[in-house]
């Protein structure tokens, strides 16, 4: 075709609702883009989607994204002059238990902070809004006035029309067939010709994994996803419902989340969509290969899988059984292992992005396009979007893992995510060299970037069942054990295996200068350890890393396990020729030995000089094995991180235990760190906050001769004054510690939010870290925290650690 576009700035592969939204938002940002669709727009999962539009989420980032979508959809039809069937009916989310109602309370508080009018409902109020329901066994409900449903095809066409109006090109019936690189540019190949572009977006829906394979030669990986079969059915018209609707309008959408289905009025019938435990994945075995084209197709009906859910829904809403089944929809829906989409930089691949694997693409599509466009055009997003960042999964997320987790997640789509609960599928992907020893000692493990670490150590008779963890409360079989572990660290010494610490090295001429140009902090000298913070261009907190310079040509960095691929990208930013970033994570194991007797315990095991000061670094032998010792402790006690070769770890661990150190787990470590006010990544430290808001002033060296990202923004913020301040709070918390994003109240107004909370066993109090309106960040200020619907008193503390405020124990 003579008018086929051969150059553009961005190519989007995939023409579902998400691809169309990406085109709309990229064009709105003033960038040229071309969207390629192999068939007609909506031909994948979009055309058969139910089109439900909830704002509800217990993820702050996802709620932001969905809230934006619904706001966009309200005005889109008029903006682009394209009619849409969008029914804002409200929804009722049923709760059967106290724990479910507590989850609703938390979501309500988060929603209120974002400007949503979520409303708790007593059982007696439910029938007023939904007269056909049976309520005898319910505990209450949550009402969302902004919920409803939209026609997915009309929405996609409206977004596409808007994109075209702003200059985007949309090429239908033009399948992409591959990609290649020429210099710093991408070439996207199609049957109609090749398009040269700066950036590429994989928005290929359930074909995203196949498209992702094209990028493997350029540093990519297999996209972690599985295609699930999702069924819903539509009934024939229900006379009783028709009569009621003609007088009262459309029923609210109903979700029985404890039974796991949604029920929606469709004209004068009903639409029932369960998420069944005995669910089915497709295209995962050799005898069920993915077809080259599944456009506008469905799977065969399989209603037997839904039998229990249909019966349960008919008992809840008896009119569901008053008419026969009119139509069954059984179509493919892509699932990432945690059920959240992949939006952001494609791991390992320059100038390539993902906006794919959407389980709820209709309600998230608008916000996803906004977020993706920000990644593409600005290199950063308005909200911290780590919850959906593709780099949250690393090499442990193989196909076996993805399949196991997708089936588990689909079957528990509406499940509550309790703070001490760990899902059992897809585990043991990465085991430390001392894993068997940890299990033999009673270790109850959790997965951290795929690595199994001890969360706590159970004693004989302790309840370690999954059922015991299904609570929001602090109390549980772990509580006494965490207390004992913290007390051992306080009074003697403990040891924790921190397997999977990310270990990166920048090597080559100018390595120190490169790292120095990325951080606002001053790098330590060789022989010393320092904490460095890395801002983005707005001065917001990208990450923190421990820096151990070996020389000007070799800088070692240690960071959080889950930050592995994220922080690699931070270091790769503007990497000069001749430098490399090496990942040596799997080469080493780390033991934190900490407590007032840790020096005494380590002395007979090592030839290290244990009199070297806090934040020192040395190479020495432990048990005759070469190790690196860092005098640091995330627990806030005298201690050393002992980094040893993986193969030497079992002998060294046995020796440390033999010297009297008590094993402790991640739950105890979290309690210990929060008493010191140490920040946790992607909770207390995120791009939702600037360095100065985060209370990291002492790490921000605005007088550094080197420029660094965000320097001008931080200088401006310092001159104008911060609007929020990081605070430590003591909380009259009752039985529940404050979860992430609990709202802070003062004089009847929301004035901030918590970023983490836990019980401190050394100070014997509930602690929350948070962000507070700057004028209230004064020691002694009394606040209230909304913790699962209960308003609990909290008091702002001094800007110093609650435990050992002068760090005397660390420096002993």
């Amino acid at each position: 075709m003579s008018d086929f576009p051969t150059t553009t700035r961005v190519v989007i592969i995939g023409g579902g609702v998400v691809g169309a939204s990406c085109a709309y938002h990229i064009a709105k940002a003033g960038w040229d883009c071309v969207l390629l669709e192999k068939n007609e727009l909506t031909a994948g999962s979009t055309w058969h989607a139910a089109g439900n539009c909830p704002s509800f989420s217990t993820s702050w980032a996802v709620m932001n994204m969905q809230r934006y979508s619904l706001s966009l959809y309200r005005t889109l039809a008029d903006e682009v002059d394209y009619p849409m069937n969008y029914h804002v009916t409200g929804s009722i989310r049923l709760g059967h238990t106290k724990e479910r109602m507590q989850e609703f309370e938390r979501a309500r508080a988060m929603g209120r902070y974002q400007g949503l009018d979520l409303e708790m409902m007593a059982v007696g109020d439910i029938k007023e809004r939904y007269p056909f329901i049976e309520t005898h066994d319910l505990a209450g409900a949550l009402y969302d006035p902004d919920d409803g449903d939209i026609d997915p095809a009309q929405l996609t066409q409206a977004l596409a029309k808007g994109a075209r109006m702003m200059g985007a090109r949309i090429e239908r019936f033009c399948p992409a067939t591959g990609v290649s690189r020429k210099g710093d540019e991408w070439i996207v190949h199609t049957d109609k010709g090749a398009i040269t572009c700066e950036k590429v977006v994989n928005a290929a829906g359930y074909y995203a994994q196949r498209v992702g394979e094209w990028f493997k030669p350029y540093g990519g990986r297999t996209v972690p996803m599985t295609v699930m079969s999702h069924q819903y059915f539509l009934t024939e018209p229900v006379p009783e419902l028709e009569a009621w609707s003609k007088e009262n309008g459309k029923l609210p959408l109903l979700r029985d989340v404890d039974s796991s289905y949604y029920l929606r009025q469709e004209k004068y019938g009903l639409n029932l969509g369960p998420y069944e435990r005995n669910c089915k994945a497709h295209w995962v075995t050799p005898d069920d290969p993915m077809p080259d084209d599944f456009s506008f197709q469905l799977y065969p009906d399989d209603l037997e899988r839904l039998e229990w859910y249909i019966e349960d829904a008919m008992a809840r809403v008896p009119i569901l059984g008053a008419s026969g089944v009119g139509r069954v929809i059984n179509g493919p829906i892509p699932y990432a292992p945690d059920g959240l989409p992949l939006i952001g930089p494609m791991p390992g691949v320059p100038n390539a992005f993902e906006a794919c694997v959407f389980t709820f693409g209709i309600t998230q599509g608008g916000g996803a396009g906004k977020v993706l466009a920000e990644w593409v055009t600005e290199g950063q997003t308005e909200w911290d979007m780590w919850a959906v960042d593709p780099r949250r999964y690393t090499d442990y997320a193989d196909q076996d893992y993805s399949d196991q987790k997708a089936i588990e997640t689909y079957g528990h789509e509406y499940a509550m995510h309790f703070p001490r609960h760990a899902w059992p599928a897809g585990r043991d992907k990465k085991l430390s060299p001392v894993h068997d020893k940890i299990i033999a000692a009673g270790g109850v493990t959790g997965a951290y970037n795929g690595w199994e670490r001890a969360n706590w150590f159970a004693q004989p008779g302790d309840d370690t069942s999954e059922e015991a963890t299904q609570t929001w409360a602090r109390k549980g079989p772990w509580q006494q054990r965490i207390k004992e572990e913290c007390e051992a660290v306080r009074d003697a010494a403990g040891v924790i295996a921190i397997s999977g610490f990310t270990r990166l090295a920048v090597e080559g001429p100018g390595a120190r200068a490169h790292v120095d140009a990325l951080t606002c902090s001053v790098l330590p000298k060789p022989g010393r350890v320092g904490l460095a913070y890395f801002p983005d261009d707005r001065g917001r907190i990208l990450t923190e890393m421990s820096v151990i310079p070996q020389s000007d040509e070799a800088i070692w960095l240690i960071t959080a396990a889950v930050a592995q691929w994220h922080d690699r990208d931070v270091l790769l930013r503007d990497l000069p020729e001749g430098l490399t970033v090496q990942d040596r994570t799997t080469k080493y194991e780390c033991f934190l030995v900490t407590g007032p007797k840790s020096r005494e315990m380590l002395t007979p095991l090592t030839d290290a000089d244990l009199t070297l000061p806090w934040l020192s670094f040395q190479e020495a032998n432990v048990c005759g094995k070469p190790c690196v010792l860092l005098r640091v402790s995330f627990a806030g006690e005298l201690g050393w991180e002992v980094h040893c070769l993986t193969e030497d770890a079992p002998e060294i661990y046995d020796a440390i235990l033999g010297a009297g150190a008590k094993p402790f787990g991640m739950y105890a470590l979290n309690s210990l760190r929060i008493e010191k006010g140490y920040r946790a990544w992607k909770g207390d430290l995120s791009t939702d906050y600037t360095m100065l808001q985060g209370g990291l002033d002492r790490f921000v060296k605005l007088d550094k001769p080197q420029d660094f990202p965000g320097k001008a923004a931080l200088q401006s913020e310092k001159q104008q004054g911060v609007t929020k301040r990081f605070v430590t709070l003591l909380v009259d918390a009752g039985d529940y510690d404050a979860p992430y994003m609990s709202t802070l109240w003062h004089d009847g107004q929301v004035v901030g939010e918590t970023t983490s909370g836990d019980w401190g066993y050394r100070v014997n109090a509930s602690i929350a870290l948070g962000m507070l309106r700057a004028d209230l960040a004064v020691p002694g200020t009394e606040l209230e925290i909304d913790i699962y619907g209960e308003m609990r008193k909290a008091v702002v503390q001094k800007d110093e650690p609650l435990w050992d405020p002068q760090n005397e124990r660390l420096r002993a």
Side-chain angles (χ1 to χ4, degrees):
M1 294 176 61
S2 59
D3 64 342
F4 185 75
T6 58
T7 61
T8 188
R9 295 194 74 177
V10 186
V11 170
I12 302 159
I13 301 171
V17 65
V18 174
S21 181
C22 290
Y24 171 89
H25 286 90
I26 289 171
K28 193 173 185 179
W31 281 43
D32 297 332
C33 65
V34 174
L35 183 150
L36 302 175
E37 166 52 44
K38 70 191 307 182
N39 196 284
E40 180 57 89
L41 297 180
T42 78
S45 292
T46 299
W47 79 273
H48 63 75
N52 299 331
C53 290
S55 64
F56 177 93
S57 178
T58 52
S59 163
W60 181 256
V62 172
M63 181 179 275
N64 257 324
M65 192 165 61
Q66 293 176 174
R67 173 182 56 81
Y68 173 88
S69 291
L70 304 194
S71 176
L72 171 68
Y73 299 167
R74 288 189 192 97
T75 59
L76 182 62
D78 291 338
E79 175 192 331
V80 303
D81 191 25
Y82 193 97
M84 288 190 294
N85 288 318
Y86 182 25
H87 308 111
V88 180
T89 60
S91 71
I92 299 171
R93 195 171 288 253
L94 303 178
H96 292 227
T97 65
K98 175 186 176 183
E99 288 77 17
R100 182 65 77 176
M101 296 303 291
Q102 288 174 303
E103 180 201 46
F104 290 169
E105 288 280 13
R106 181 172 178 231
R108 179 199 57 80
M110 288 169 53
R112 187 168 183 177
Y113 200 7
Q114 290 196 17
L116 301 172
D117 294 322
L118 301 178
E119 172 190 332
M120 298 299 293
M121 298 179 70
V123 174
D125 298 330
I126 297 173
K127 272 185 174 286
E128 292 180 19
R129 288 195 168 113
Y130 206 102
F132 305 107
I133 192 170
E134 297 294 325
T135 63
H136 60 278
D137 57 345
L138 298 176
L142 180 75
Y143 182 68
D144 179 357
D146 298 317
D147 206 337
D149 61 272
I150 197 166
D151 184 294
Q154 292 175 341
L155 170 61
T156 305
Q157 295 293 350
L159 288 165
K161 182 179 181 184
R164 290 189 188 99
M165 289 166 60
M166 292 181 285
R169 286 286 299 267
I170 295 179
E171 295 291 327
R172 299 171 302 137
F173 304 101
C174 183
T177 57
V179 298
S180 58
R181 290 282 278 171
K182 185 177 181 180
D184 291 334
E185 294 183 312
W186 286 105
I187 301 172
V188 181
H189 302 276
T190 80
D191 291 338
K192 296 182 180 180
I195 308 176
T196 300
C197 60
E198 296 174 31
K199 303 184 180 185
V200 182
V201 179
N202 180 358
Y206 53 72
Y207 279 99
Q209 190 176 84
R210 185 170 288 184
V211 170
E213 295 298 299
W214 302 342
F215 294 88
K216 277 190 172 180
Y218 310 102
R221 87 304 184 211
T222 298
V223 176
M225 63 172 285
T226 299
V227 178
M228 300 297 297
S229 154
H230 177 61
Q231 290 188 96
Y232 63 90
F233 71 80
L234 309 171
T235 72
E236 299 288 354
V238 179
E240 190 175 353
L241 176 59
E242 180 175 359
W244 184 88
S245 297
K246 287 178 177 178
E247 290 191 16
N248 300 281
K250 196 171 180 180
L251 280 171
L253 196 154
L254 191 71
R255 288 185 183 83
D256 194 330
V257 288
D258 290 309
S259 292
S260 195
Y261 59 80
Y262 61 82
L263 185 65
R264 190 183 89 201
Q265 182 175 344
E266 190 73 26
K267 297 182 179 177
Y268 295 129
L270 292 166
N271 172 342
L272 177 67
Y275 291 91
E276 71 277 16
R277 296 287 171 87
N278 56 328
C279 52
K280 184 175 182 180
H282 270 286
W283 306 334
V284 295
T285 58
D287 61 344
D288 182 26
M290 174 179 273
D292 290 334
D293 191 354
F294 200 68
S295 300
F296 296 111
Q297 296 184 57
L298 296 171
Y299 303 129
D301 301 351
D302 190 8
L303 285 181
E304 288 185 10
R305 294 203 325 248
L306 309 185
E307 186 175 339
W308 183 91
Y309 302 88
I310 295 170
E311 291 176 356
D312 188 82
M314 288 171 60
R316 179 68 57 201
V317 182
I319 62 168
L320 177 63
S323 293
V325 174
R327 188 184 179 198
V328 178
I329 306 293
N330 185 11
I333 295 185
Y335 261 73
D338 61 2
L340 298 182
L342 305 178
I343 313 173
M346 186 182 295
V349 184
N351 291 325
F353 300 83
E354 291 176 339
C356 53
V357 200
F358 281 79
T359 299
F360 297 101
I362 306 305
T363 193
Q364 294 170 359
K370 165 190 156 61
V371 169
L372 191 282
E374 291 167 349
W375 272 123
V376 168
T377 65
E378 302 172 34
Q380 55 203 12
T381 53
E382 177 184 357
W383 315 305
D384 190 287
M385 296 304 297
W386 180 246
V388 298
D389 194 307
R391 296 167 295 182
R392 71 189 187 273
Y393 293 113
T394 62
D395 58 352
Y396 69 92
D398 57 15
Q399 196 59 52
D400 172 71
Y401 176 86
S402 297
D403 293 346
Q404 287 190 52
K405 297 301 289 186
I407 290 168
E408 179 182 64
T409 300
Y410 181 98
H412 297 85
E413 182 59 64
Y414 294 127
M416 293 174 275
H417 297 275
F418 297 107
R420 305 292 194 203
H421 178 254
W423 296 101
R427 298 294 296 275
D428 293 350
K429 284 297 178 181
K430 291 188 175 183
L431 303 181
S432 82
V434 297
H435 178 75
D436 290 345
K437 296 177 184 295
I438 287 170
I439 297 300
V444 180
T445 63
Y448 296 81
N449 195 32
W451 290 91
E452 296 292 329
R453 294 181 186 168
N455 280 330
W456 61 288
F457 284 85
Q459 298 299 312
D462 288 346
D463 184 356
T464 59
S465 68
E466 186 181 350
E467 290 73 21
T469 66
Q470 295 181 7
T471 176
W472 305 109
R474 181 186 318 112
K475 185 178 180 181
W478 52 80
Q479 185 177 21
Q480 179 62 26
R481 304 301 169 225
I482 297 171
K483 179 176 185 289
E484 292 165 357
E485 292 169 22
C486 291
E487 288 172 346
V489 171
R490 179 195 68 192
D491 300 335
V495 59
I496 181 173
I498 312 181
S499 307
F501 250 152
T502 297
R503 295 175 178 84
L504 303 169
V506 181
E507 297 175 340
R512 184 182 179 97
H514 172 64
V515 177
D516 208 14
L518 296 174
T519 174
C520 61
S521 306
V522 173
L523 300 187
K525 297 176 180 177
R528 300 287 290 168
V529 182
L531 199 58
Y533 285 87
F534 295 76
D536 67 11
D537 293 333
R538 302 162 297 182
R540 299 189 187 183
I541 307 165
L542 267 182
T543 192
E544 67 170 11
M545 301 190 214
S546 295
V547 184
I548 308 109
Q550 301 303 291
S551 68
D552 287 350
E553 296 189 358
I555 307 294
W556 294 356
L557 303 108
I558 300 176
T559 183
V562 73
Q564 185 177 11
W565 284 3
H566 176 280
D567 285 4
R568 176 191 65 185
D569 282 359
V570 172
L571 296 174
L572 286 171
R573 176 174 173 168
D574 299 325
L575 187 73
E577 191 173 342
L579 287 184
T580 61
V581 177
Q582 303 292 331
D583 189 329
R584 301 193 176 107
T585 297
T586 58
K587 187 176 180 180
Y588 300 98
E589 177 61 283
C590 174
F591 302 119
L592 170 59
V593 185
T594 185
K597 295 184 179 179
S598 56
R599 180 183 284 119
E600 176 185 327
M601 290 182 182
L602 280 174
T603 295
L605 306 180
T606 182
D607 59 6
D609 181 356
L610 299 183
T611 66
L612 291 181
W614 184 40
L615 300 179
S616 62
F617 155 90
Q618 60 183 310
E619 296 184 50
N621 291 308
V622 178
C623 300
K625 308 294 185 181
C627 293
V628 170
L629 276 71
L630 310 182
R631 191 173 162 188
V632 295
S633 173
F634 202 49
E637 300 283 353
L638 172 69
W640 286 263
E641 287 181 4
V642 179
H643 297 261
C644 62
L645 293 171
T646 300
E647 58 265 29
D648 295 334
E651 181 180 342
I652 293 171
Y653 188 63
D654 282 345
I656 293 169
L657 291 175
K662 179 182 177 67
F664 69 100
M666 295 298 292
Y667 291 167
L669 185 61
N670 192 65
S671 170
L672 295 163
R673 71 93 187 169
I674 209 167
E675 292 174 309
K676 293 293 293 181
Y678 293 160
R679 280 68 154 172
W681 191 63
K682 290 307 177 189
D684 314 301
L685 303 172
S686 81
T687 56
D688 282 333
Y689 308 114
T690 69
M691 298 289 301
L692 301 181
Q693 288 175 337
L696 301 170
D697 309 52
R698 68 188 183 279
F699 296 99
V700 179
K701 306 301 181 184
L702 293 173
D703 57 353
K704 274 182 68 169
Q706 301 92 339
D707 202 4
F708 59 82
K711 186 174 183 178
L714 289 167
Q715 287 173 328
S716 175
E717 184 183 17
K718 189 165 187 178
Q719 291 172 355
Q720 297 178 17
V722 297
T723 56
K724 282 184 170 184
R725 271 288 182 189
F726 178 86
V727 291
T728 299
L729 304 166
L730 282 181
V731 188
D732 175 20
D735 296 330
Y736 306 92
D737 298 311
Y740 174 67
M741 283 295 166
S742 299
T743 47
L744 304 178
W745 291 75
H746 184 264
D747 286 345
Q749 292 184 322
V750 177
V751 292
E753 67 274 3
T754 62
T755 52
S756 57
D758 206 344
W759 185 267
Y761 289 93
R762 290 177 297 193
V763 301
N764 197 35
S766 184
I767 305 163
L769 307 181
M771 293 289 179
L772 179 62
R773 204 176 72 195
D775 61 301
L776 297 174
V778 179
T781 300
E782 293 190 3
L783 307 168
E784 288 184 300
I785 305 182
D786 187 340
I787 301 178
Y788 303 118
E790 289 189 33
M791 302 301 287
R792 309 297 302 195
K793 179 182 174 181
V795 180
V796 178
Q797 303 300 298
K798 291 181 181 179
D799 186 18
E800 62 184 22
L802 293 173
W803 177 253
D804 185 26
Q806 302 307 313
N807 291 328
E808 294 170 354
R809 297 168 71 93
L810 273 173
R811 301 174 187 271

